[in-house]
Amino acid sequence: MSADRTVEIKIKRQMTPDGPSRWETFRVTVRPAMNIVGVLMQIAENPVTVDGKATAPVSYDANCLEEVCGSCAMRINGRVRMACSSLVDHLQAPIRLEPMSRFPVVRDLQVDRSRLFEDLKRVKAWIPIDGTYDLGPGPRMAPREQEAAYPFSRCISCGSCLEVCPQYNDGTHFVGAAVVGQVRLFNSYPTGKMNAYERLEALMGPGGIHECGYAQNCVEICPKEIPLTQAIAEVGGQVMRHALFEFLKK
Amino acid sequence: MAELGVPVEVFSIVPVKRSHSVCAQGGINAAKDLKGEGDSTWKHFDDTVFGGDFLANQPPVRDMTEAAPGIVDMLDRMGVMFNRTSEGLLDFRRFGGTLYSRTAFAGATTGQQLLYALDEQVRRFEAEGRVRKFEHWEMLSGVVDSNRACRGICAMDLRSMEVRTFPADAVIIATGGIGAIFGRSTNSVACTGSAQSALYQQGAYYANPEFVQVHPTAIPGEDKLRLMSESARGEGGRMWVPRDGKNWYFLEEWYPKYGNLVPRDIATRAIHKVVYELGLGVDGQPAVYLDLTHIDAKTLDRKLGGILETYEKFVGVDPRKEPMKVFPGMHYTMGGLWVDYKHRTNIAGLLAAGECEYQYHGANRLGANALLSCIYAGRVSGTAAVEHVQGLANGSDSVPSTVFEREARQQQELNDNLLKGQGTENPFAIWKEMGAGMTEHVTVIRNNDKLKKWDEKLVELLERSKRINLSDHSRWANQTLVFARELGNMLQLARAITLGALARNESRGAHYKPDFPERDDQNWLQTTKAYFAPDADEPRFVYEPVDTSLMPLRERKY
Ligand SMILES: Cc1cc2nc3c(=O)[nH]c(=O)nc-3n(C[C@H](O)[C@H](O)[C@H](O)COP(=O)(O)OP(=O)(O)OC[C@H]3O[C@@H](n4cnc5c(N)ncnc54)[C@H](O)[C@@H]3O)c2cc1C
Ligand code: SF4
Ligand code: FES
């Protein structure tokens, strides 16, 4: 085996939500198939910067380590990526790590993405079942419809699509592509359809789907390759039809 | 519970949607017999008890398998995107340990879909004000009053580090697996077993700690072991290591009949032998090759596409061109908090459900039975908790506030001491040592001498863990402090696992001792119940007969 190879890591540190931020540089030994979580674990074992200064381990969120829990999104070399599936060998050194910019920083690379979950409440992203007692089988669903809907059920709420969305900010309150994708999902389930109007109405108000500027960054960045622009188009159509229908009823 | 109108508070370290259950890929078992194979819930019961080598109490297993079809229906009604047949019905596939197509699945992400469906229902209750969520909060301990009744929990806000007690008339623990005790495993980071361990140290029985499932083919990684599905071998993958400059296909040589498709535990033991006894791991590492390169890339893509992409993504190597490196990985704990058939622990008002308790899987869990047991246990425990609350003469509001204050103070002191600690020990380094030793001595092959020595080492690590110097002394979102706390709990539970294994002189299911290679029903058809002896600071054991009233014992042979 060759001698230990190292790589330089620059990390944007911020101890508290409204404290100042600064950059620190570390040097880590590269191991085979090492990912960014591996880098952060190595730093935690010996948190000393390249200048030999002892510092605190870097705070970050991670859980599954296989790109399915959505915890570990952060900016890596300026682009939002999942830390657990970002391999050191595929990144240009020195590697720069920063927290996502569209969410409040908790500490270091940890951010507060609770707004995303609040927005899921806003659009009622669930099937309002009668109860959990045994009511027999669910509705039948054509395999084709299941296959079309399935990709949307894989959204890990990482927030990457929101990070790159020019419209996702306090000005517009746009719910963002992930939430629209969930509306697409629930509106296509046979019993979810029954309450489609509630979700559509939620998307008609402030922060609704009309805020989308169709920049299409979301679909390119999504680590789960969810067809987000398709969802926006479909749900946009549903919203329009619903609005028209409501208008004609008056 | 929320459905029954009882106010509920949910605590979770990670946002619920990010819990470990998202990792489950394969599916969930229910004998709905939609394939005309003559499957039945009784056969599901039989497979589960047999697969668990008869260590599970049979009545609750029967009840679970009977409830399974209704549970899958419920999940379906919640909108889980299960795969469908051409008639639009649920599709089922075959899984290990059974002859029937009994596993409902949603692509390769079933656990994710099931967890989401349940999380969505909770979010709905939350929006209606019936459930209150505390995410990024970690439960530290139970609040146990002088009558040994649980009156709430003590928890810490993982951001502000505030330590607080929350009164409750009933507490249900659903804190999942314990993978982190083995260093790296197929589990998620939050699976430390810390909550279970804290309660065990507070007097809850911990059952069958020694039963730990190891999956033969995981992808070793610096940070975790990712599962490599058995289907890779099913499609012709061959396992080998280099020996004397040649490829040695050890499974094919040792087991000419089954070759690479020997059952999980046998494959796991063989790999262990190659690496630890013969010292033939690839590049001196604990790894062996799983080779698909002799199969043409097109066939591989068609049959194994998804899992090959995972390997490529995380390892950065194309398994169509280079053999994959795999190694058995700690995967699941059959052991957990002891509970009765209603999921009540031995502490009144404290219940447990899911991987953190021991009820359904005996000495070995069958694939796709875990998610089922989690949901079923959740149901049973929920009902039992409501029953408990309604039967309480005095609610938690009658408990003197000093009981709560004392617990909060104790937990706060633990934090303060850790923050003040001026020792020389690094918690991450101790954790690594614990994980390496647990993996080497307490997973696949157990040997009494080694277990004894390893326990002495654990005692030493526990001592060292008292001299930790945190590299982070701040009082905001201090993950190092949280980890150091968890480490202490992990070490205590590690001892229960190690000594539980030491005591059990037989081989059953996942527990294998070369010196005692047979199952010994005469002496060991017993549930291990570990309890913590605070004065001695160590685990003690009592044993309880297994309820085998429904199905006679037979030899476990596939
Ligand atoms: C890779 C992999 C694949 C698998 N595939 C399958 C499969 O196909 N089919 C199957 O049936 N099973 C499978 N399993 C097993 C199954 O996934 C688990 O047993 C199951 O998901 C455990 O669920 P749980 O609800 O008990 O725990 P978890 O999903 O781990 O949830 C535990 C929760 O408790 C919280 N928590 C933990 N400690 C604390 C604390 N101290 N304070 C507050 N909150 C806390 C966590 O935040 C989390 O929300 C698989 C397991 C792995 C590792
Ligand atoms: S849609 Fe994609 S990018 Fe957006 S939150 Fe979901 S998984 Fe992440
Ligand atoms: S840790 Fe779960 S997505 Fe990266």
Side-chain angles (χ1 to χ4, degrees):
Chain A
M1 291 211 100
S2 58
D4 280 353
R5 195 158 56 84
T6 63
V7 65
E8 202 161 274
I9 313 281
K10 293 180 184 296
I11 303 179
K12 192 171 177 191
R13 309 290 308 259
Q14 182 173 331
M15 291 298 279
T16 53
D18 27 51
S21 64
R22 63 175 196 283
W23 286 84
E24 277 181 355
T25 308
F26 300 86
R27 185 161 282 287
V28 302
T29 307
V30 183
R31 308 239 179 258
M34 186 184 223
N35 58 32
I36 294 298
V37 171
V39 166
L40 294 168
M41 285 166 78
Q42 200 182 101
I43 293 175
E45 260 182 77
N46 182 25
V48 177
T49 66
V50 277
D51 325 312
K53 193 173 106 302
T55 180
V58 183
S59 290
Y60 63 98
D61 279 322
N63 197 28
C64 70
L65 307 184
E66 48 189 76
E67 206 189 70
V68 68
C69 78
S71 299
C72 65
M74 61 182 68
R75 295 178 75 87
I76 301 174
N77 285 351
R79 180 181 185 270
V80 62
R81 295 171 199 265
M82 304 311 288
C84 66
S85 58
S86 297
L87 300 185
V88 170
D89 283 339
H90 295 179
L91 294 163
Q92 179 101 39
I95 298 170
R96 278 173 301 121
L97 306 181
E98 296 164 80
M100 285 202 276
S101 62
R102 299 297 176 88
F103 302 94
V105 171
V106 174
R107 179 174 167 177
D108 296 337
L109 304 172
Q110 263 185 308
V111 294
D112 181 353
R113 279 169 288 183
S114 47
R115 176 175 158 195
L116 179 48
F117 296 113
E118 288 306 315
D119 284 341
L120 288 174
K121 279 186 209 155
R122 241 167 94 184
V123 301
K124 300 191 194 300
W126 51 71
I127 305 287
I129 59 166
D130 287 350
T132 56
Y133 35 88
D134 196 352
L135 287 171
R140 293 194 181 199
M141 189 174 189
R144 266 186 60 168
E145 280 179 43
Q146 186 272 344
E147 278 160 32
Y150 175 70
F152 297 99
S153 70
R154 297 177 67 226
C155 168
I156 57 178
S157 296
C158 64
S160 300
C161 55
L162 310 175
E163 175 73 9
V164 296
C165 175
Q167 296 295 97
Y168 191 74
N169 52 50
D170 289 342
T172 65
H173 292 288
F174 179 37
V175 293
V179 171
V180 175
Q182 292 305 293
V183 170
R184 154 73 178 81
L185 174 66
F186 291 101
N187 284 4
S188 64
Y189 190 73
T191 51
K193 279 187 187 134
M194 298 173 185
N195 301 74
Y197 70 96
E198 286 184 349
R199 301 184 198 100
L200 297 176
E201 277 162 16
L203 283 181
M204 284 157 66
I209 196 159
H210 52 277
E211 303 286 0
C212 172
Y214 222 64
Q216 304 199 30
N217 295 349
C218 52
V219 72
E220 271 162 43
I221 204 83
C222 174
K224 294 285 135 185
E225 292 168 18
I226 297 173
L228 292 167
T229 41
Q230 181 197 323
I232 292 171
E234 281 181 35
V235 174
Q238 290 177 19
V239 166
M240 279 224 307
R241 280 192 296 280
H242 179 69
L244 189 65
F245 180 71
E246 290 296 300
F247 175 76
L248 292 177
K249 257 191 355 192
K250 274 178 192 161
Chain B
M1 282 188 291
E3 217 169 75
L4 295 173
V6 175
V8 178
E9 291 177 341
V10 177
F11 290 78
S12 178
I13 296 177
V14 297
V16 174
K17 192 174 178 178
R18 308 201 193 284
S19 300
H20 167 66
S21 291
V22 293
C23 290
Q25 305 169 344
I28 177 166
N29 287 337
K32 280 178 72 81
D33 194 32
L34 294 185
K35 299 264 176 203
E37 297 168 331
D39 194 10
S40 66
T41 56
W42 184 262
K43 286 175 179 155
H44 184 188
F45 163 63
D46 185 322
D47 284 337
T48 305
V49 166
F50 182 65
D53 225 349
F54 293 91
L55 194 64
N57 290 313
Q58 295 180 1
V61 177
R62 179 202 52 200
D63 295 348
M64 172 182 81
T65 54
E66 279 176 1
I71 285 176
V72 168
D73 286 343
M74 172 192 78
L75 293 163
D76 185 20
R77 288 193 295 111
M78 287 178 179
V80 173
M81 283 295 163
F82 283 119
N83 282 48
R84 304 281 161 165
T85 65
S86 51
E87 267 193 66
L89 295 170
L90 298 183
D91 199 3
F92 285 79
R93 67 175 161 210
R94 244 187 87 187
F95 234 68
T98 183
L99 297 170
Y100 301 94
S101 306
R102 187 185 285 153
T103 307
F105 59 103
T109 59
T110 315
Q112 183 188 14
Q113 309 307 330
L114 302 195
L115 175 73
Y116 287 5
L118 297 168
D119 181 46
E120 285 147 12
Q121 295 302 321
V122 173
R123 192 166 293 112
R124 175 180 163 214
F125 284 139
E126 205 191 352
E128 290 167 6
R130 293 203 266 176
V131 167
R132 206 166 149 211
K133 260 194 203 156
F134 293 80
E135 293 174 326
H136 305 287
W137 278 80
E138 176 154 350
M139 190 206 90
L140 305 176
S141 61
V143 176
V144 181
D145 71 13
S146 50
N147 300 321
R148 311 282 318 134
C150 181
R151 299 303 201 158
I153 64 165
C154 182
M156 172 161 70
D157 182 334
L158 296 176
R159 288 169 177 173
S160 71
M161 309 314 276
E162 177 197 0
V163 171
R164 235 184 97 181
T165 52
F166 295 83
D169 289 338
V171 172
I172 304 180
I173 301 296
T175 47
I178 61 166
I181 293 180
F182 294 79
R184 293 168 307 157
S185 72
T186 62
N187 290 190
S188 298
V189 175
C191 301
T192 62
S194 186
Q196 294 91 299
S197 175
L199 293 163
Y200 147 76
Q201 291 167 66
Q202 288 184 295
Y205 280 122
Y206 193 89
N208 290 342
E210 65 269 35
F211 290 94
V212 173
Q213 186 170 68
V214 178
H215 196 285
T217 59
I219 310 165
E222 272 296 297
D223 52 337
K224 99 170 271 193
L225 312 172
R226 297 175 182 89
L227 204 65
M228 174 46 63
S229 162
E230 235 160 48
S231 52
R233 279 175 293 142
E235 297 300 337
R238 302 175 75 187
M239 314 217 34
W240 60 277
V241 289
R243 188 180 61 174
D244 307 329
K246 288 205 198 94
N247 299 359
W248 178 36
Y249 297 93
F250 55 94
L251 284 179
E252 294 169 30
E253 186 179 307
W254 284 341
Y255 304 99
K257 191 161 165 213
Y258 285 88
N260 294 291
L261 275 173
V262 285
R264 272 187 193 181
D265 47 343
I266 296 181
T268 295
R269 276 169 218 145
I271 297 168
H272 228 248
K273 186 165 168 183
V274 165
V275 169
Y276 288 123
E277 281 179 43
L278 307 176
L280 287 172
V282 176
D283 296 332
Q285 304 273 330
V288 297
Y289 285 129
L290 170 52
D291 197 345
L292 292 166
T293 56
H294 55 287
I295 306 171
D296 79 278
K298 276 213 188 89
T299 312
L300 288 179
D301 281 339
R302 203 178 65 241
K303 295 196 165 157
L304 298 171
I307 62 172
L308 299 185
E309 276 156 32
T310 305
Y311 187 84
E312 219 173 338
K313 194 168 217 169
F314 286 96
V315 184
V317 171
D318 184 354
R320 298 165 198 86
K321 298 193 182 121
E322 274 182 51
M324 297 186 276
K325 284 189 201 168
V326 298
F327 192 68
M330 188 284 180
H331 184 51
Y332 184 85
T333 170
M334 274 71 72
L337 289 169
W338 179 90
V339 289
D340 65 8
Y341 295 175
K342 289 186 169 180
H343 283 269
R344 300 175 296 205
T345 68
N346 57 312
I347 298 178
L350 180 69
L351 300 92
E355 194 171 332
C356 69
E357 45 77 15
Y358 91 111
Q359 192 65 276
Y360 302 95
H361 308 292
N364 174 55
R365 170 180 72 86
L366 292 191
N369 256 353
L371 295 171
L372 171 64
S373 68
C374 290
I375 297 173
Y376 177 69
R379 237 188 210 184
V380 175
S381 61
T383 315
V386 173
E387 212 177 270
H388 174 79
V389 172
Q390 286 164 350
L392 268 184
N394 298 303
S396 55
D397 43 5
S398 69
V399 178
S401 62
T402 47
V403 173
F404 293 96
E405 285 155 14
R406 193 187 53 215
E407 189 60 40
R409 198 168 49 240
Q410 255 178 28
Q411 298 301 332
Q412 183 64 54
E413 268 168 23
L414 228 152
N415 282 1
D416 294 342
N417 289 340
L418 276 166
L419 284 167
K420 276 192 296 215
Q422 289 301 326
T424 48
E425 298 288 348
N426 177 313
F428 298 100
I430 296 180
W431 174 64
K432 264 196 162 170
E433 276 187 57
M434 170 184 68
M438 287 301 287
T439 302
E440 184 171 348
H441 304 299
V442 205
T443 48
V444 185
I445 294 167
R446 280 121 179 229
N447 182 305
N448 283 350
D449 291 344
K450 289 184 182 159
L451 288 171
K452 251 183 241 152
K453 282 212 193 85
W454 172 243
D455 182 60
E456 286 163 20
K457 180 78 187 177
L458 281 174
V459 174
E460 187 193 311
L461 291 178
L462 260 169
E463 274 311 306
R464 280 171 54 192
S465 74
K466 289 174 189 144
R467 297 193 300 273
I468 280 177
N469 191 343
L470 294 183
S471 40
D472 184 350
H473 297 273
S474 67
R475 289 186 184 261
W476 174 260
N478 186 335
Q479 294 182 323
T480 317
L481 169 66
V482 173
F483 187 75
R485 290 192 59 116
E486 290 168 348
L487 177 68
N489 286 336
M490 286 192 264
L491 283 163
Q492 292 289 6
L493 206 52
R495 289 200 72 199
I497 299 167
T498 305
L499 293 177
L502 176 63
R504 186 175 282 271
N505 281 333
E506 66 159 350
S507 291
R508 181 187 297 271
H511 171 73
Y512 176 70
K513 277 188 180 173
D515 295 340
F516 303 90
E518 303 296 326
R519 188 173 92 192
D520 176 0
D521 292 329
Q522 203 74 42
N523 295 305
W524 287 105
L525 188 58
Q526 311 236 38
T527 298
T528 307
K529 289 167 84 176
Y531 67 95
F532 185 70
D535 311 332
D537 196 27
E538 67 181 22
R540 299 275 164 78
F541 300 94
V542 287
Y543 294 88
E544 179 180 271
V546 178
D547 183 340
T548 55
S549 54
L550 299 172
M551 167 117 40
L553 300 183
R554 59 186 196 270
E555 195 189 347
R556 180 168 172 258
K557 222 175 176 182
Y558 285 101

